[in-house]
C-alpha cells in the first residue's frame, strides 16, 4: 500500500498518473489523501482508495497511514504562516502517525542545500531541511528528493515574457545553478516508492542535465520561442515589498528573501549529478513542450488557473 499526499498538485498529479499505471504490476495498492476528492482526475477515482482531509491533520493521517507500507510526502505551499510552522508544524502529526503505524518507507519533496555554508540561513530551504530531519527521526527509511528551483516557476512569468520579452529573478545574471522539471521529480519519486530496497535516511538530488544561469535561460528561451527574451535582476527589497503588498505572512516573506539570497550565494551549486529515474529533461525540451504554448496562448486563456 502506497499513500500519496497532495495528489492534485503539480508533482502529485504526475506521480499519481505514473503509479496508477505501474502499481498493479508491482502488487501495490494506492491510497490518496485529498481535501476535495472532486479534484482528482476522473480516470483515477475508481482505481485508488481516497481518504478525505488535510494530511496536516492528526486524525486524517491516522486513517491514511494505517496499513501503509510507503508514503509520498509533500507539504503544500502556505504563505500565511512562518516557515517552521509551514513545514515542521504541518509534518509533526504525520511523523507521529508514521511511527505509530510502522510505515516502512517515506519519499519526501525537499530542497538542495544540506551541508552547504548557506543551509542554516536559507529561509524556506532551512525549514524544509528541518522537516526532513523530523521525518527521518520517526524511524522510517527516508529519501528526501533534494530539488533546486523548478522550470515550472517560469510559467508565472509567461505574461511578462509574452508582453515585454522579460523574466525576472533575484540572482546574478551569470550565476549558474541546476534547475529541474516537475516530471523528473515525479518519476524519481515513483521509482523509489515502487522499489523499496533502500534503507536508512538520505538525500536524492533531482537535477536537470546541466547548470544554467539566467543569461543561459534567456538565450535558450529566445531560441525556442522565436522572440527576444531578456533577464532583469530584481532587487531583494523590491521583491520583499511586493510580497508584503500581497498580504503574505511577514516571517514567510523573510523566508523567501533568505532563500533567494542563499541561492545567489551558491546554495544549489556544486551538486554531483548521478543517475536518476528516466532521462533528465533539458531546458530547451521543456521550453518547447510547456513554456512555448503558455507564452503563445491568448492572454485571456493564459491567465486562467
Amino acid at each position: 500500500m502506497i499513500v500519496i499526499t497532495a495528489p492534485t498538485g503539480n508533482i502529485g498529479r504526475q506521480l499519481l498518473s505514473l503509479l496508477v499505471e505501474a502499481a498493479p504490476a508491482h502488487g501495490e495498492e494506492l491510497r490518496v489523501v485529498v481535501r476535495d476528492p472532486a479534484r482528482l482526475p476522473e480516470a483515477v477515482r475508481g482505481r485508488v482508495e481516497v481518504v478525505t482531509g488535510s494530511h496536516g491533520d492528526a486524525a486524517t493521517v491516522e486513517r491514511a497511514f494505517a496499513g501503509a507500507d510507503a508514503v509520498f510526502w509533500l507539504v503544500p505551499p502556505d504563505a500565511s504562516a512562518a516557515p517552521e510552522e509551514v513545514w515542521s508544524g504541518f509534518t509533526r502529526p504525520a511523523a507521529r502517525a508514521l511511527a505509530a503505524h510502522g510505515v516502512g518507507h517515506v519519499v519526501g519533496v525537499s530542497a538542495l542545500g544540506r551541508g552547504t555554508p548557506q543551509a542554516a540561513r536559507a529561509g524556506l530551504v532551512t525549514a524544509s531541511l528541518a522537516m526532513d530531519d523530523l521525518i527521518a527521526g520517526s524511524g522510517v527509511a527516508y529519501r528526501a528528493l533534494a530539488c533546486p528551483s523548478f522550470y515550472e516557476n517560469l510559467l508565472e512569468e509567461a505574461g511578462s515574457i509574452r508582453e515585454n520579452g522579460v523574466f525576472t529573478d533575484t540572482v546574478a545574471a551569470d550565476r549558474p545553478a541546476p534547475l529541474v522539471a516537475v516530471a523528473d521529480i515525479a518519476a524519481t519519486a515513483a521509482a523509489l516508492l515502487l522499489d523499496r530496497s533502500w534503507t536508512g535516511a538520505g538525500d536524492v538530488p533531482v537535477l536537470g542535465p546541466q547548470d544554467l544561469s539566467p543569461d543561459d535561460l534567456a538565450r535558450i528561451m529566445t531560441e525556442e520561442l522565436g522572440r527576444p527574451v531578456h533577464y532583469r535582476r530584481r532587487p531583494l527589497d523590491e521583491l520583499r515589498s511586493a510580497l508584503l503588498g500581497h498580504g503574505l505572512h511577514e516571517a514567510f516573506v523573510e523566508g523567501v528573501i533568505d532563500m533567494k539570497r542563499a541561492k545567489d550565494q551558491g546554495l544549489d551549486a556544486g551538486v554531483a549529478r548521478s543517475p536518476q529515474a528516466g532521462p533528465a529533461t533539458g531546458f530547451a525540451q521543456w521550453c518547447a513542450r510547456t513554456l512555448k504554448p503558455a507564452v503563445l496562448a491568448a492572454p485571456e486563456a493564459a491567465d486562467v488557473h
Side-chain angles (χ1 to χ4, degrees):
M1 170 69 73
I2 299 172
V3 177
I4 305 166
T5 66
T8 61
N10 290 334
I11 299 172
R13 183 174 63 248
Q14 297 194 48
L15 173 62
L16 180 58
S17 177
L18 293 172
L19 290 179
V20 161
E21 297 306 317
H26 288 77
E28 300 281 359
E29 296 181 2
L30 301 177
R31 180 184 292 159
V32 300
V33 186
V34 62
R35 289 177 183 269
D36 180 7
R39 293 186 60 201
L40 290 169
E42 192 169 339
V44 308
R45 288 181 201 170
R47 303 174 69 181
V48 300
E49 180 185 342
V50 177
V51 173
T52 303
S54 165
H55 53 291
D57 174 69
T60 300
V61 289
E62 281 291 330
R63 297 198 310 274
F65 295 170
D69 297 289
V71 171
F72 171 73
W73 183 256
L74 188 153
V75 171
D78 179 5
S80 67
E84 191 279 336
E85 190 58 30
V86 172
W87 272 271
S88 290
F90 189 93
T91 302
R92 283 191 187 97
R96 290 192 290 268
L98 290 169
H101 291 286
V103 176
H105 293 77
V106 177
V107 175
V109 175
S110 189
L112 286 177
R114 185 176 294 277
T116 66
Q118 297 84 18
R121 55 179 190 280
L124 305 190
V125 170
T126 305
S128 186
L129 299 178
M131 175 200 72
D132 295 334
D133 295 338
L134 179 62
I135 296 173
S138 71
V140 301
Y142 180 58
R143 289 295 179 269
L145 303 182
C147 301
S149 299
F150 302 166
Y151 294 156
E152 279 74 9
N153 293 347
L154 284 165
L155 292 173
E156 299 175 9
E157 305 270 336
S160 177
I161 293 169
R162 180 192 315 112
E163 295 158 17
N164 306 311
V166 171
F167 73 102
T168 65
D169 200 352
T170 59
V171 300
D174 61 352
R175 161 68 73 182
L179 299 165
V180 69
V182 163
D184 294 348
I185 303 170
T188 303
L192 288 165
L193 289 164
L194 290 170
D195 178 8
R196 301 191 292 274
S197 57
W198 41 278
T199 59
D203 292 349
V204 177
V206 188
L207 313 174
Q210 63 184 134
D211 288 7
L212 297 167
S213 69
D215 280 347
D216 293 327
L217 299 179
R219 173 180 51 79
I220 294 169
M221 282 190 275
T222 295
E223 294 168 356
E224 294 298 326
L225 301 179
R227 59 174 69 188
V229 178
H230 303 282
Y231 173 64
R232 180 179 78 84
R233 186 178 187 183
R234 192 177 194 185
L236 287 173
D237 285 345
E238 179 187 309
L239 175 62
R240 177 187 286 109
S241 296
L243 294 176
L244 290 172
H246 286 300
L248 277 61
H249 191 285
E250 186 173 351
F252 188 91
V253 170
E254 288 308 313
V256 173
I257 298 302
D258 288 345
M259 176 183 69
K260 292 287 191 180
R261 183 183 296 111
K263 284 181 179 283
D264 190 42
Q265 294 170 348
L267 177 73
D268 293 347
V271 181
R273 283 176 168 78
S274 58
Q276 58 194 50
T281 303
F283 183 66
Q285 175 189 358
W286 179 84
C287 282
R289 186 176 62 202
T290 304
L291 182 62
K292 188 173 184 176
V295 170
L296 298 185
E300 58 270 19
D303 290 339
V304 173
H305 297 287

